[in-house]
Amino acid sequence: MTEQPAPENPEGDEPIKQRKNGLYPAVSDELAENMKSGWADTEQRDLRPIPQAGQTARRRAELSARFPGERLVIPAGNLRTRSNDTEYAFRASTEYAYLTGDQTQDGVLVLEPAADGHDATLYLLPRSSRENGEFWLDGMGELWVGRRNSLAEAEQRYGLPCADVRKLAEALTEATGPVRAVRGHDAGIEAALTDKVTAERDEELRVFISEQRLVKDEFEVGELQKAVDSTVRGFEDVVKVLDKAEATSERYIEGTFFLRARVEGNDIGYGSICAAGPHATTLHWVRNDGPVRSGDLLLLDAGVETHTLYTADVTRTLPVNGRYTELQRKIYDAVYEAQEAGIAAVKPGAKYSEFHDAAQRVLAEKLVEWGLVEGPVERVLELGLQRRWTLHGTGHMLGMDVHDCAVARRESYVEGVLEPGMVLTVEPGLYFQADDLSVPEEYRGIGVRIEDDILVTEEGSRNLSAALPRTSAEVEAWMADLKGTRG
């Protein structure tokens, strides 16, 4: 990375941040004047609204109707320092992106109460100034990190009035009346509201926005399908390079999938789990620094996040050499049977918990059948004894967050009823830890999970990730085709 020069303080403006050990101690008057002129007009005047502008407007209207007469403040968040003066890649808060479609740092959506609901304003950073040198001297200036939209451009894109966010904190400090804010993203905005908000009222706002996302609209379903389709291609990429992963480590798998995510989407939706061998028994193995060996299983749990921040979440457990052993196949087929039972239970009007119960019953039956736990099955389920090897719930809501709608009320989520438009994962698994002396030695170190993204429809459900094979025989044939070894 290059060093930015140290500027003089432009008169009448906030100081521009400079490095203590920068190589340029000052900016001459002549250079400062020179940098103000000779630049083409790059204002874009014919921008089209973002594709989801209609949906974001509807979501804001629903929010307005829920909290009449109250000021609502939803920040995007700020950059977070990674090391010294470098930052982590920015991702806007889910609540903000859901309600605006914007993803830029420091943005804040404010809904001001009005006679007929609310007046929404999007507060953003304007383009970096050419007059005070910010565009080339400040570390967040245009020549350092790229051009921002002007406020006029943003209005065209997002379909609502835009204003300078740098003046917002002061305005909020002086504001009166009831306020609710989404916390945890912008300390400056929270400080301006500190005497105007309560934790309980703010939590009600966050819960409502979370529950808004339980049922996806047509745009969201389309984005989730895009995420899944890219994820399928990412899994194919991995299978094609398993020989290189064997020569290196799980990191090769992680990097291969990440390439697909960055080429076709915004990023990965969560840290990829590239767990080979006994690492597959660790539910969230994201270190990805272990060996990849022929004869072992690879549990790959990964998802591409689209440019609009919707993520897939898919898992397949693959034989590294392309063929399951007899025991690996037995365990895999049991998990597949459990997943089939879980998917069959996903339909409108069903209790959310039914797909979990159906999958757990199958796994409990298998564990009793194999002599790993004493039956009968009803006893095992009543006492939860199968959980030693199944460990986790069988799925979760999916959307802009991989565990979407996480702060929704229990009665709306896990104790609720499935509706058309909901998207959830079905992901049973069996995990036999390497140090588990309660199972025969040959089981130890084997972990299997199969996960698909399921859309609840009017008729039942649709598997968005059906393009990836699921049965053990289909997986083997698919891998052979990709590797060019079939037949």
Side-chain angles (χ1 to χ4, degrees):
M1 295 179 69
T2 56
E3 280 199 312
Q4 69 192 65
E8 294 179 336
N9 260 2
E11 187 176 351
D13 286 293
E14 290 294 319
I16 293 175
K17 184 180 178 182
Q18 54 186 300
R19 283 191 176 96
K20 179 180 179 181
N21 290 306
L23 292 173
Y24 287 101
V27 175
S28 69
D29 292 341
E30 290 79 4
L31 177 57
E33 195 61 31
N34 176 276
M35 291 297 289
K36 290 181 181 180
S37 60
W39 305 100
D41 178 9
T42 61
E43 182 76 7
Q44 302 175 71
R45 296 175 174 83
D46 55 354
L47 292 176
R48 302 184 66 179
I50 57 173
Q52 69 270 41
Q55 283 87 349
T56 55
R58 174 185 54 76
R59 297 164 192 167
R60 292 192 299 272
E62 292 174 355
L63 185 63
S64 172
R66 171 61 180 81
F67 299 105
E70 300 183 67
R71 181 176 289 104
L72 309 177
V73 182
I74 300 97
N78 315 127
L79 288 173
R80 295 177 184 264
T81 299
R82 181 182 186 275
S83 173
N84 189 25
D85 56 357
T86 61
E87 293 83 21
Y88 287 104
F90 179 73
R91 187 193 188 277
S93 73
T94 296
E95 296 90 349
Y96 175 86
Y98 178 75
L99 292 165
T100 68
D102 178 50
Q103 298 179 36
T104 55
Q105 69 204 51
D106 301 326
V108 183
L109 172 67
V110 178
L111 273 64
E112 292 282 351
D116 57 350
H118 286 82
D119 294 328
T121 302
L122 192 55
Y123 289 86
L124 301 169
L125 287 171
R127 288 188 64 186
S128 49
S129 172
R130 306 256 164 163
E131 282 301 308
N132 68 2
E134 176 193 355
F135 79 108
W136 71 285
L137 293 172
D138 189 272
M140 290 294 115
E142 188 170 306
L143 298 193
W144 288 92
V145 297
R147 183 187 187 279
R148 297 190 289 264
N149 282 324
S150 70
L151 298 180
E153 291 169 345
E155 289 183 352
Q156 295 178 67
R157 285 176 53 76
Y158 304 117
L160 69 168
C162 295
D164 190 338
V165 73
R166 293 173 296 187
K167 304 172 183 177
L168 178 60
E170 181 180 353
L172 290 176
T173 301
E174 299 172 354
T176 59
V179 182
R180 295 179 189 258
V182 174
R183 300 189 185 201
H185 302 296
D186 192 317
I189 293 299
E190 288 185 34
L193 296 171
T194 186
D195 60 340
K196 299 176 174 62
V197 295
T198 67
E200 293 78 14
R201 289 165 59 212
D202 289 353
E203 184 65 10
E204 287 177 357
L205 171 62
R206 196 164 73 109
V207 167
F208 178 81
I209 299 173
S210 189
E211 294 185 2
Q212 270 190 294
R213 305 200 309 273
L214 282 168
V215 175
K216 272 58 182 179
D217 58 39
E218 184 178 352
F219 174 83
E220 292 178 288
V221 172
E223 289 301 295
L224 285 166
Q225 187 65 69
K226 287 180 189 176
V228 168
D229 292 345
S230 290
T231 298
V232 168
R233 290 187 283 273
F235 274 63
E236 293 172 347
D237 295 339
V238 167
V239 171
K240 292 174 183 177
V241 300
L242 281 176
D243 57 334
K244 294 183 174 64
E246 286 187 67
T248 52
S249 75
E250 295 162 338
R251 291 281 169 92
Y252 204 96
I253 295 166
E254 178 184 349
T256 298
F257 187 84
F258 179 70
L259 177 61
R260 177 67 65 174
R262 287 294 281 166
V263 167
E264 295 192 1
N266 176 61
D267 206 330
I268 50 174
Y270 54 96
S272 298
I273 299 168
C274 308
H279 288 163
T281 66
T282 301
L283 298 185
H284 289 168
W285 177 261
V286 293
R287 298 180 205 170
N288 299 336
D289 57 1
V292 179
R293 299 188 179 99
S294 180
D296 282 347
L297 296 176
L298 166 68
L299 190 156
L300 178 58
D301 183 336
V304 172
E305 178 186 74
T306 66
H307 294 291
T308 55
L309 307 185
Y310 288 85
T311 185
D313 183 7
V314 178
T315 305
R316 290 294 182 269
T317 306
L318 313 172
V320 173
N321 62 12
R323 300 286 295 180
Y324 295 100
T325 67
E326 183 178 348
L327 179 59
Q328 289 169 350
R329 187 185 304 275
K330 181 177 84 166
I331 296 171
Y332 184 96
D333 288 349
V335 174
Y336 170 76
E337 187 177 330
Q339 195 200 27
E340 281 282 272
I343 292 174
V346 176
K347 53 191 174 184
K351 292 181 179 178
Y352 175 86
S353 58
E354 287 182 25
F355 78 94
H356 168 71
D357 295 340
Q360 289 290 299
R361 175 171 290 278
V362 172
L363 295 178
E365 290 171 350
K366 297 297 181 182
L367 292 166
V368 171
E369 177 187 325
W370 299 340
L372 302 183
V373 64
E374 182 181 347
V377 170
E378 293 300 336
R379 168 184 170 272
V380 173
L381 292 170
E382 181 181 355
L383 299 177
L385 301 181
Q386 82 285 357
R387 292 181 61 184
R388 181 181 178 107
W389 303 283
T390 66
L391 293 176
H392 57 81
T394 308
H396 52 80
M397 291 295 179
L398 185 68
M400 295 183 83
D401 292 337
V402 65
H403 295 154
D404 208 31
C405 313
V407 299
R409 295 167 298 170
R410 288 186 62 84
E411 57 264 35
S412 301
Y413 191 160
V414 295
E415 297 170 1
V417 173
L418 296 178
E419 300 178 40
M422 289 182 171
V423 180
L424 60 147
T425 67
V426 179
E427 51 174 316
L430 282 173
Y431 311 92
F432 300 101
Q433 304 301 319
D435 59 350
D436 187 352
L437 301 182
S438 72
V439 299
E441 185 175 359
E442 62 266 25
Y443 283 79
R444 299 172 198 166
I446 295 179
V448 174
R449 179 162 67 251
I450 311 171
E451 178 180 22
D452 285 270
D453 301 341
I454 310 298
L455 167 68
V456 182
T457 65
E458 296 285 352
E459 298 77 25
S461 69
R462 174 160 62 92
N463 186 349
L464 301 179
S465 45
L468 274 179
R470 288 195 297 127
T471 71
S472 54
E474 289 171 345
V475 168
E476 289 178 335
W478 170 70
M479 293 182 70
D481 284 342
L482 290 172
K483 291 181 173 185
T485 58
R486 191 170 185 178

